[in-house]
């Protein structure tokens, strides 16, 4: 969703507050596609600081379906996002790139709310997601979810440094 910033930029020290519905229904990245189970409207406050500088403050709450890192079962993961950005509207897109300012959510005099929230999700994405703290994961051999019960696979793992000796015993039988 695009918000036109001309209204805010028309007067110094002007503040506009908006609730904006997000158009994206999933978080798509190189990690995969993670659907949103719930998404609340983003609450934004845009303040003109003068000299064509804006402060963008906001929050959004999203619940995403992320697979457990051990057993791959979907976990409803809440993401509470809060952000504070200051944008210099006088600076060109090329100037922002040179300054390593990643404000790709500003297009001309428009604010792309979905791009802003996408960047915040990316920064706040959990490093590890577990369905529960004592998740047992899946069997490395047969793929059975060990949270639902044990499998009949041989779980003895030999030290790889002893592989040569194990081969000798295997060949002597």
């Amino acid at each position: 969703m695009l918000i036109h910033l001309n209204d805010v930029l028309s007067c110094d020290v002007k503040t506009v507050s908006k609730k904006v519905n997000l158009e994206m229904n999933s978080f798509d990245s190189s990690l995969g596609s993670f659907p949103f189970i719930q998404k609340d409207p983003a609450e934004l406050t845009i303040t003109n600081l003068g000299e064509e500088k804006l402060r963008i403050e906001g929050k959004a709450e999203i619940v995403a379906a992320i697979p457990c890192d051990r057993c791959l079962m979907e976990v409803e993961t809440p993401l509470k996002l809060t952000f504070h950005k200051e944008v210099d509207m006088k600076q060109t897109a090329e100037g922002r790139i040179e300054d390593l300012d990643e404000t790709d959510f500003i297009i001309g005099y428009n604010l792309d709310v979905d791009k802003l929230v996408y960047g915040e999700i990316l920064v706040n994405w959990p490093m590890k997601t577990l369905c529960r703290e004592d998740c047992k994961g899946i069997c490395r051999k047969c793929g059975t979810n060990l949270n639902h019960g044990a499998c009949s696979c041989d779980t003895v793992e030999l030290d790889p440094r002893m592989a040569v000796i194990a081969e000798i015993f295997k060949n002597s039988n």
Side-chain angles (χ1 to χ4, degrees), residues 88 90-103:
D88 186 355
K90 288 187 287 187
Q91 196 170 25
T92 63
E94 293 82 21
R96 289 186 187 124
I97 292 170
E98 287 176 16
D99 291 342
L100 299 176
D101 184 12
E102 298 182 12
T103 54

Side-chain angles (χ1 to χ4, degrees), residues 3 35 45 48 64 68 92 129 149 160 162 167:
I3 295 177
T45 303
N48 185 343
C68 174
T92 63
T129 303
M162 303 301 273
E167 284 297 318

Side-chain angles (χ1 to χ4, degrees), residues 1-5 7-8 15-21 41-46 57-59 83 111 113:
M1 165 125 196
L2 292 177
I3 295 177
H4 302 290
L5 299 173
D7 184 38
V8 179
T15 300
V16 174
S17 296
K18 291 189 180 242
K19 277 192 174 187
V20 181
N21 291 322
E43 297 177 20
L44 298 174
T45 303
I46 305 166
E57 300 171 307
K59 64 181 180 176
F83 43 90
L111 168 66
V113 178

Side-chain angles (χ1 to χ4, degrees), residues 62-64 76-80:
I62 297 168
V63 178
E76 292 184 10
T77 308
L79 299 168
K80 294 186 180 192

